[in-house]
Amino acid sequence: MSGMWMYAQDSGYTSRQSLVGFTVEAADGTIGHVDRQQDQPGMQHLVVDTGVWVFGKSILIPAGAVAGIDTETRMVKVSGTREEIKAAPQFTTDSETADHRYLSAVGNYYLSLRRPLAP
């Protein structure tokens, strides 16, 4: 699970880079924008404000689900579709980021979204 809580080397993330305010895109459209981020090694994640898309709720996205970062367009691309991300374990409060059971559930969910590589 720990791999889900770190940015992949090819994601475009640089150490201590602020992604707050960046637009977040799934494979099939916009999810929202980065409201907060955590850069603690092994616990890196984004809290995404979804606006009206999911009735004003926030979503926790592990750094390992970030597929790419474009600093020029201020966009973060994440793995999965909008519906898959919407179906992730619900995020309600920042205190959940200290709950190992919740983090395990989120990490395992996003791991399940990884597509196998084509032969």
Side-chain angles (χ1 to χ4, degrees), residues 7 13 17-23 34 37 46 66 69 74 76:
Y7 293 95
Y13 178 77
Q17 175 183 13
S18 176
L19 302 174
V20 173
F22 278 44
T23 300
V34 178
Q37 76 184 80
L46 304 174
V66 172
I69 298 168
R74 296 182 48 85
V76 175

Side-chain angles (χ1 to χ4, degrees), residues 1 4-5 62 102-113:
M1 179 186 82
M4 282 309 298
W5 302 100
Y102 173 75
L103 294 177
S104 181
V106 171
N108 288 334
Y109 179 78
Y110 280 94
L111 272 173
S112 76
L113 298 181

Side-chain angles (χ1 to χ4, degrees), residues 55-118:
F55 306 110
K57 296 195 180 215
S58 294
I59 295 174
L60 183 86
I61 298 181
V66 172
I69 298 168
D70 185 332
T71 55
E72 288 199 21
T73 61
R74 296 182 48 85
M75 184 170 301
V76 175
K77 294 189 183 240
V78 295
S79 302
T81 65
R82 290 167 46 108
E83 284 304 311
E84 288 171 334
I85 292 166
K86 190 176 182 179
Q90 185 174 3
F91 175 76
T92 53
T93 67
D94 284 333
S95 64
E96 289 173 320
T97 62
D99 179 345
H100 292 291
R101 285 180 296 184
Y102 173 75
L103 294 177
S104 181
V106 171
N108 288 334
Y109 179 78
Y110 280 94
L111 272 173
S112 76
L113 298 181
R114 290 194 170 165
R115 311 283 193 271
L117 298 175

